Amino acid sequence: MTALAGSASDAFWTTTLRRWNAVCWLLFAVMAVGLVAIDRPGGSKYAALALLGSVVVSYAVLYRFPANPVVRPDVYLSVLVVALGGLAYLRGNYAALFMVTLPHYWMFGRTPRVSMVFLGLATAATLAGSVLRDGGWTVEFFTEVLVSTLLVVAVGALIGLWAHSVVAQSAERARLIAELEETQAELTEAHQRQGAADERERMARDIHDTLAQGFASIIVLAEAARTGLDTDPARSGRQLRSIESTARENLAEARELVGSGGRPGQVAAGSVARTLRRALDRFAEDTGLTVDAELEDLECDQQTRIALLRCTQESLANVRKHARASTVGVVLARQPYGVELEITDDGAGFSVEESSGFGLDGMRKRLAELGGRLTVTSSVGDGTRVLALIPPGAAA
């Protein structure tokens, strides 16, 4: 509705306006009683009452019904200007009304410029009324009326401009705070979405590295066992036992994933060499391939051991599914620049640039979380070399 009242949403400004309105109503009542009880009957008395009544009615309508289509802020300020000029001409006791209504120019002016225009018009109207009442430009007018009126107007203008500046700054701060809160909410939502996406990706990687590899092993073993039931029952029996063992391990992995809330699966305690040795023995037993392993007995933290084991399992799974190799070599050693795991095979190889598997990408991301890196070297017909490096800071 106004330049100030429209922005005055804080409790302090609202309370101040309410108190000032109470003062205005009290002054209106006192002036009305004075005009009725003290002044002598006559045309000037009734004219002054009419002017005061027009101000009171306009202000009451605007204050009570701010959205009414008739008495708008500019209309009320125009009525106030006319009333002040008329009272200055008729009575000369306009000073109290002029001072008390000074805030209205800032409350109901759309902009500081509009407020200053109406304030200037009110000042000119009161001075003109005083000049007409005194019969000209008298010494009394210059020494008393003009000086006091201009002083009051100057103070009112300074206070109004200051109040408008304070309210504008408050509105700007409120806007910035709202934008900051909105940005924080969007950032929080983005973090939550990113966290959920990261969690889904990590869960998919863990499932791929554990359950999916186990199921793939079960399928391969089951197919081999079925074809060898008639020709080699003993070997089929071993493969069935491997299927049972792999299924039990998968079940344990699934329970671990559920019980840990999706956190990375745990690896049995012990050196990483023994952990990898168990995986290599199982792979050799299931596939019948020759595995040459040189595993240095290293002590690593849990995350490093998990990363090395998952890289080994993924590489062996790729050998099982794609390489058509006869020999697999695995070397685990501690170098000055970190722990190094090398896995090679003499299989068919592939074009690294054209590969787009989830397994290699998951290995790279898992190592990157520890500050490590994965290097894959291969070409068609020349086998494959997978080199995983974890820096010393991660391999405690």
Side-chain angles (χ1 to χ4, degrees), residues 213-351:
Q213 300 293 3
F215 288 136
S217 176
I218 288 174
I219 292 173
V220 173
L221 290 171
E223 292 174 347
R226 186 178 65 250
T227 59
L229 283 176
D230 298 329
T231 59
D232 193 350
R235 182 178 180 183
S236 296
R238 291 193 301 271
Q239 291 169 336
L240 289 174
R241 287 192 295 272
S242 295
I243 290 174
E244 179 183 0
S245 176
T246 303
R248 292 183 183 277
E249 291 176 359
N250 263 24
L251 179 59
E253 289 281 1
R255 288 173 174 170
E256 178 66 30
L257 286 173
V258 173
S260 62
R263 294 186 297 273
Q266 301 298 304
V267 177
S271 71
V272 66
R274 288 196 296 272
T275 302
L276 297 185
R277 176 63 67 181
R278 287 193 292 268
L280 294 174
D281 290 343
R282 172 61 60 81
F283 173 79
E285 180 183 351
D286 292 345
T287 62
L289 300 181
T290 301
V291 177
D292 295 329
E294 297 180 13
L295 306 177
E296 185 177 337
D297 193 11
L298 304 176
E299 291 296 334
C300 302
D301 61 27
Q302 183 74 344
Q303 290 300 101
T304 301
R305 291 168 57 231
I306 292 175
L308 293 173
L309 175 61
R310 299 308 183 215
C311 288
T312 302
Q313 290 173 329
E314 176 63 25
S315 298
L316 296 179
N318 288 336
V319 171
R320 183 201 302 264
K321 290 184 291 185
H322 308 297
R324 300 191 301 275
S326 59
T327 302
V328 176
V330 180
V331 178
L332 174 68
R334 184 185 296 278
Q335 304 293 347
Y337 43 82
V339 175
E340 195 175 72
L341 174 67
E342 181 185 46
I343 303 174
T344 59
D345 68 74
D346 59 355
F350 65 100
S351 177

Side-chain angles (χ1 to χ4, degrees), residues 87-128:
L87 289 173
Y89 172 72
L90 294 172
R91 307 296 303 167
N93 55 353
Y94 65 91
L97 180 63
F98 187 81
M99 288 187 291
V100 172
T101 55
L102 272 177
H104 289 185
Y105 299 101
W106 303 99
M107 290 170 56
F108 299 108
R110 294 187 303 273
T111 63
R113 179 176 296 180
V114 172
S115 300
M116 289 296 296
V117 168
F118 276 105
L119 182 58
L121 292 175
T123 304
T126 54
L127 293 177

